[in-house]
Every structure is written in structure tokens, then in C-alpha cells.
């Protein structure tokens, strides 16, 4: 895995905007996401779309970034990374741009860290194990989703969830030994 970090890009844009506007907007980068106080930017009449486009363009210059999206481009893209980001971003979050890393790259500020919880293909490919009475020992190489854990546990425990769940029970786990 190769490390990929855009914190320096966020810092440069923050410095430039602060010099022009006399205030900081809190532009930060974390795990493929550029976020800021977008409300303050709009109040100071900063062209948020222009800043977002510049962040994506600058991030795409080096190796490791497959694609980037802004608030205008994310909703309509059919790219798998865009689909994952749409499912990840809370509506109230003030964000400027999101990036998708190339295969073999992880978001890291040059430190060893786990990256689970980000919408990258590598982070989504995590092992899962179910162990306990009545669960047959086996190994399966098919893809399951983290949202499949709750429905599987509910069926194993014989309970009905009080709300609809996004995932589906993992049938292989439900087979009694």
C-alpha cells in the first residue's frame, strides 16, 4: 500500500482564502474528504464551487487519486466511488470535495493507521467472522457488506429488528451444523 495525503492542499487553500478574506474557514482533509465551514464561506461570498473545483484539480495532479467530486458533480455520477460517498456523507456536513483513491493507495498522513470507515474499495474489503454455537466452521470468499451483519445477527438471535435494515442476512452463517 502507498500512502496518500492531501492535507497540504487543504492547508494551502486555507492560507490563501484567509489572506484574501481576513478569516479562517477551517478547511481540512481527512480520509478523502475536504471539509470546511461552508456557511462562513458563503456568508463572505467565497465562490464555494470554484474552491471545490480547485481542490479536486490540485488533488488530481499527482499519483494515487482516481477521481474527485464536488457537491455539484457527486449527485449525478454513476462512478462506484461516487455511489459510496453519497451513502457516507451526512446531509448536514459542510464539505467541499471528496476523492477516491486508486487501487493500492490509502489515505494516511504518513503514519500507520487503519482506514476502515472510508468509502474506498480496500477499506470496504474487510474480513468478517461469525463464531459460536450452531455456526458451522467454513470459509467463503464471496463479498458481503457490513450492513449484512445486523440482519445476520438478528436471525441468529431469533429477533425481529424494530426498524428496516439495509442489509440482508448472510445465508451461509445461518446454516446449522
Amino acid at each position: 500500500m502507498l500512502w496518500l495525503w492531501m492535507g497540504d492542499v487543504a492547508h494551502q487553500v486555507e492560507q490563501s482564502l484567509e489572506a484574501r478574506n481576513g478569516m479562517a474557514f477551517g478547511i481540512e482533509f481527512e480520509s478523502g474528504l475536504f471539509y470546511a465551514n461552508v456557511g462562513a464561506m458563503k456568508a463572505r461570498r467565497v465562490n464555494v464551487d470554484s474552491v471545490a473545483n480547485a481542490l479536486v484539480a490540485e488533488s488530481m495532479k499527482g499519483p494515487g487519486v482516481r477521481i474527485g467530486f464536488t457537491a455539484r458533480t457527486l449527485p449525478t455520477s454513476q462512478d462506484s466511488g461516487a455511489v459510496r460517498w453519497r451513502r457516507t456523507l451526512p446531509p448536514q456536513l459542510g464539505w467541499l470535495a471528496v476523492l477516491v483513491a486508486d487501487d493500492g493507495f490509502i489515505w494516511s498522513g504518513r503514519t500507520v493507521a487503519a482506514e476502515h470507515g472510508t468509502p474506498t474499495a480496500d477499506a470496504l474489503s474487510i474480513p468478517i467472522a461469525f463464531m459460536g454455537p450452531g455456526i458451522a466452521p467454513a470459509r467463503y470468499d464471496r463479498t458481503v457488506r457490513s450492513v449484512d451483519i445486523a440482519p445476520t445477527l438478528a436471525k441468529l438471535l431469533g429477533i425481529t429488528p424494530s426498524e428496516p435494515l439495509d442489509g440482508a442476512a448472510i445465508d451461509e452463517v445461518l446454516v446449522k451444523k
Side-chain angles (χ1 to χ4, degrees):
M1 285 291 161
L2 298 171
W3 290 328
L4 182 59
W5 188 247
M6 296 296 157
D8 54 338
V9 173
H11 181 72
Q12 290 169 359
V13 172
E14 175 70 24
Q15 295 273 331
S16 175
L17 287 174
E18 188 173 345
R20 282 186 276 171
N21 293 281
M23 70 177 288
F25 297 107
I27 298 175
E28 298 285 342
F29 177 82
E30 183 69 36
S31 299
L33 171 69
F34 287 100
Y35 58 94
N37 185 340
V38 175
M41 293 174 77
K42 289 178 180 178
R44 294 291 276 219
R45 293 196 162 94
V46 172
N47 185 328
V48 175
D49 291 333
S50 178
V51 173
N53 288 332
L55 287 166
V56 170
E58 188 64 27
S59 299
M60 297 291 295
K61 286 182 179 178
V65 177
R66 184 173 64 77
I67 193 167
F69 303 97
T70 67
R72 290 203 187 271
T73 62
L74 185 67
T76 58
S77 176
Q78 297 305 308
D79 182 87
S80 62
V83 172
R84 286 189 222 118
W85 271 114
R86 284 195 298 268
R87 292 178 180 160
T88 302
L89 292 169
Q92 72 278 9
L93 181 68
W95 64 279
L96 297 167
V98 293
L99 306 174
V100 178
D102 277 326
D103 290 340
F105 285 83
I106 61 168
W107 301 114
S108 177
R110 305 286 189 249
T111 60
V112 177
E115 191 193 60
H116 300 297
T118 62
T120 62
D122 285 337
L124 294 173
S125 297
I126 57 173
I128 183 172
F130 288 88
M131 295 179 278
I135 299 174
R139 178 187 170 126
Y140 302 96
D141 290 326
R142 78 172 181 89
T143 301
V144 296
R145 303 169 305 152
S146 60
V147 294
D148 297 332
I149 296 170
T152 304
L153 291 174
K155 282 206 173 181
L156 284 170
L157 296 171
I159 60 174
T160 302
S162 59
E163 297 179 11
L165 300 175
D166 290 336
I170 304 167
D171 292 331
E172 295 94 320
V173 175
L174 303 174
V175 175
K176 297 289 184 186
K177 65 176 183 174

